[in-house]
Amino acid sequence: MAALLELVDYTNKLLDVNSFADYCPNGLQVEGHAEVSVLVSGVTASMALIEAAQSEGADAILVHHGYFWKGENACITGLKRKRLQRLLERDTSLLAYHLPLDAHSELGNNTQLAQVLGIECLGHFGPAGDLQLAQYGQLPRPLDVAACCEHIEQSLGRAPQHIPGTAAEIQRVGWCTGAAQSYIEAAAEQGLDAFISGEISEQTVHVARETGIHYFAAGHHATERFGVCALGEHLAKKFDIRHTFIDIDNPV
Ligand SMILES: [Zn+2]
């Protein structure tokens, strides 16, 4: 069993949360039980995850997408009231780590995605003046487009949406999990064959076509399951508590 505040303090330091200017608070967002013996992790603090975690006996839930985003209505009404009520009435804590979890060099979403895809990381990049969250590197061998789609689908359990670029074979790739499709131009400037992120919008198709970089939209949810799971496992070992990752399916 771990003291909640000790676990939070450790995690905040591990992920160096104070060095990020984020769109949401990182760390303990909702305080529940003072002790944690069961930790459940998941991508997003949806009602479905809260209910599934509480069925597992979770004292605390650890997520990548928590609450209290910049610019959202701050009032505790509607869906937000229901989620918070459900957490508070059962004393379930909510810990959320957003950008610090994308960026961490071992447990982070981008490093973990590289491991899942078998890509060797050679460095970081990002738009000028922005966080250098994205990574670039190399597949063990060049793959044609069909093989690359197949490799991503088999690794993530979800077929990517592919927008063709010019390279006949893909080996040098960049990646950034989640909603980082706007990094595609920075990826093209790196001279990479392909860029992999989560989502896709209309304009990204044109950027891929005009810069000649292949784009793979591999799923926001699908690409962001690994960091929070790795962090949960790390905390379970460190504090000798039980950890379960619960995957609430999301096609986007
Ligand atoms: Zn995300």
Side-chain angles (χ1 to χ4, degrees):
M1 195 177 289
L4 172 70
L5 296 182
E6 201 179 305
L7 185 146
V8 170
D9 187 53
Y10 170 83
T11 313
N12 288 351
K13 285 183 183 136
L14 176 72
L15 299 184
D16 196 14
V17 296
N18 290 331
S19 67
F20 290 84
D22 209 337
Y23 317 101
C24 62
N26 284 289
L28 185 60
Q29 291 193 337
V30 179
E31 185 176 357
H33 286 296
E35 308 281 341
V36 179
S37 53
V38 178
L39 178 69
V40 164
S41 64
V43 177
T44 299
S46 62
M47 189 60 111
L49 179 67
I50 296 169
E51 288 174 355
Q54 289 175 338
S55 299
E56 284 285 314
D59 304 299
I61 302 175
L62 172 70
V63 295
H64 182 49
H65 303 138
Y67 303 151
F68 315 120
W69 298 89
K70 253 181 210 163
E72 77 175 22
N73 182 356
C75 299
I76 311 295
T77 54
L79 178 150
K80 189 193 271 180
R81 167 185 169 257
K82 287 184 185 155
R83 289 171 169 181
L84 288 171
Q85 184 174 34
R86 177 86 191 202
L87 287 168
L88 291 168
E89 73 192 5
R90 299 187 189 203
D91 255 352
T92 312
S93 297
L94 179 69
L95 284 69
Y97 293 94
H98 184 235
L99 293 179
L101 184 57
D102 287 321
H104 191 266
S105 62
E106 286 168 43
L107 305 170
N109 278 321
N110 285 322
T111 296
Q112 291 290 322
L113 180 64
Q115 284 179 19
V116 168
L117 293 174
I119 311 172
E120 181 196 2
C121 176
L122 298 172
H124 293 76
F125 72 97
D130 208 336
L131 281 175
Q132 306 295 292
L133 276 181
Q135 300 183 3
Y136 65 89
Q138 199 145 293
L139 286 160
R141 59 190 173 85
L143 298 175
D144 66 26
V145 168
C148 199
C149 283
E150 168 108 14
H151 175 59
I152 294 171
E153 179 170 359
Q154 289 201 342
S155 304
L156 302 183
R158 176 192 183 280
Q161 186 170 359
H162 170 243
I163 308 301
T166 50
E169 294 204 305
I170 293 166
Q171 186 164 28
R172 280 172 49 77
V173 298
W175 62 97
C176 195
T177 65
Q181 60 181 304
S182 63
Y183 279 39
I184 186 172
E185 277 188 80
E189 281 161 18
Q190 296 284 317
L192 303 169
D193 304 323
F195 181 57
I196 303 166
S197 185
E199 297 186 27
I200 184 159
S201 300
E202 195 270 351
Q203 70 272 16
T204 304
V205 174
H206 301 290
V207 179
R209 286 177 182 164
E210 289 173 36
T211 59
I213 190 167
H214 290 274
Y215 182 63
F216 295 93
H220 188 142
H221 174 86
T223 56
E224 295 203 318
R225 285 170 296 171
F226 309 107
V228 77
C229 181
L231 177 59
E233 286 296 297
H234 175 92
L235 294 173
K237 270 195 199 118
K238 171 81 188 167
F239 290 96
D240 196 21
I241 56 176
R242 186 155 75 79
H243 165 248
T244 310
F245 173 77
I246 296 181
D247 195 8
I248 303 293
D249 184 53
N250 185 332
V252 173

